[in-house]
Amino acid sequence: MMEQLTGKTLIILLHEIYGVNDHIAYYRQRFEEQGHEVLTPNLLGRAPFAYGEEAAAYSYFINEVGFDASAREVRGLIEANRQQYNAILLAGFSVGATVAWMCSGSGGLDGIIGFYGSRIRNYADIKPCCPALLYFASEEPFDVPGLARQLRETERTRVEVIAAGHGFMNPFHPSYLPEQAEACMTGCSEFLRQEKRTLPRAAK
């Protein structure tokens, strides 16, 4: 069981369609090195898919798990941990980013970070109750600039479009772009520091 320390920041790290794999373990360590507690829920409820099983992983997530059920599970985790942390944030990749965005409108959060949550376009009318930092890849099969313009008009939402393909943050995937990934992590670190400085609540 993860040790829970009063006054700490908890980051709930949400995986891609592949599940809790080497990619998620890598970013869990990165966030822990910054001094945060990290929870990595297995929304699939099974072992991770291999990267070569992309079609099967996508089908499983859509047909056996789903965005709505994932969002309900994450909201439950937020509620279960709310009194034990001074701040709770969500960080997610791909479908995990979309789930984070879906949860942002229901309260109980201090911020979300999303990387290439392409399905956010289906939930673009959500009004987050907390600051949101969203990174999109420019090379997607939909109108990324149009979505970015729409989301930038949403209060508390910052949007960055990175000249890259989907998956550019994953150091274990062929799409990985280390320079862009590190620039985004620098942005995330500043976002987390900013939210910590502006939190109105005291440590419980």
Side-chain angles (χ1 to χ4, degrees):
M1 177 179 290
M2 181 183 64
E3 182 182 6
Q4 297 179 330
L5 302 176
T6 301
K8 282 279 192 176
T9 295
L10 174 65
I11 295 177
I12 302 177
L13 185 59
L14 306 177
H15 57 71
E16 301 175 301
I17 56 173
Y18 302 107
V20 181
N21 59 5
D22 49 6
H23 171 229
I24 297 304
Y26 173 81
Y27 280 104
R28 176 174 186 153
Q29 181 178 350
R30 292 290 302 269
F31 285 121
E32 286 178 339
E33 287 171 351
Q34 296 178 11
H36 309 298
E37 299 284 339
V38 183
L39 184 63
T40 55
N42 184 349
L43 301 176
L44 300 186
R46 51 153 288 165
F49 288 88
Y51 293 123
E53 300 177 294
E54 180 178 358
Y58 180 79
S59 177
Y60 185 87
F61 181 83
I62 295 299
N63 297 311
E64 304 297 331
V65 182
F67 287 105
D68 290 336
S70 296
R72 285 195 298 272
E73 181 172 344
V74 172
R75 290 186 189 108
L77 289 171
I78 296 166
E79 178 64 24
N81 287 280
R82 180 68 272 180
Q83 299 303 313
Q84 301 180 63
Y85 290 93
N86 193 40
I88 297 180
L89 297 95
L90 302 180
F93 299 88
S94 192
V95 296
T98 298
V99 171
W101 177 253
M102 292 171 68
C103 293
S104 71
S106 56
L109 281 169
D110 299 286
I112 73 160
I113 300 169
F115 299 96
Y116 36 84
S118 58
R119 291 295 172 177
I120 287 175
R121 67 187 188 274
N122 296 337
Y123 305 92
D125 59 340
I126 286 176
K127 306 300 182 187
C129 300
C130 62
L133 173 60
L134 302 176
Y135 291 101
F136 290 97
S138 62
E139 300 170 19
E140 296 271 20
F142 66 92
D143 181 12
V144 175
L147 178 61
R149 285 194 298 272
Q150 180 180 357
L151 293 173
R152 283 172 179 145
E153 295 177 357
T154 303
E155 191 176 359
R156 292 181 285 275
T157 303
R158 174 184 164 191
V159 180
E160 302 288 346
V161 178
I162 308 301
H166 196 96
F168 71 88
M169 293 292 294
N170 188 343
F172 306 99
H173 194 275
S175 299
Y176 180 54
L177 294 177
E179 184 175 345
Q180 288 85 338
E182 287 307 309
C184 289
M185 284 303 291
T186 298
C188 290
S189 296
E190 177 55 35
F191 178 80
L192 290 166
R193 286 194 296 269
Q194 180 66 30
E195 295 319 304
K196 185 175 181 180
R197 287 195 297 268
T198 58
L199 279 174
R201 66 174 60 85
K204 298 178 178 64

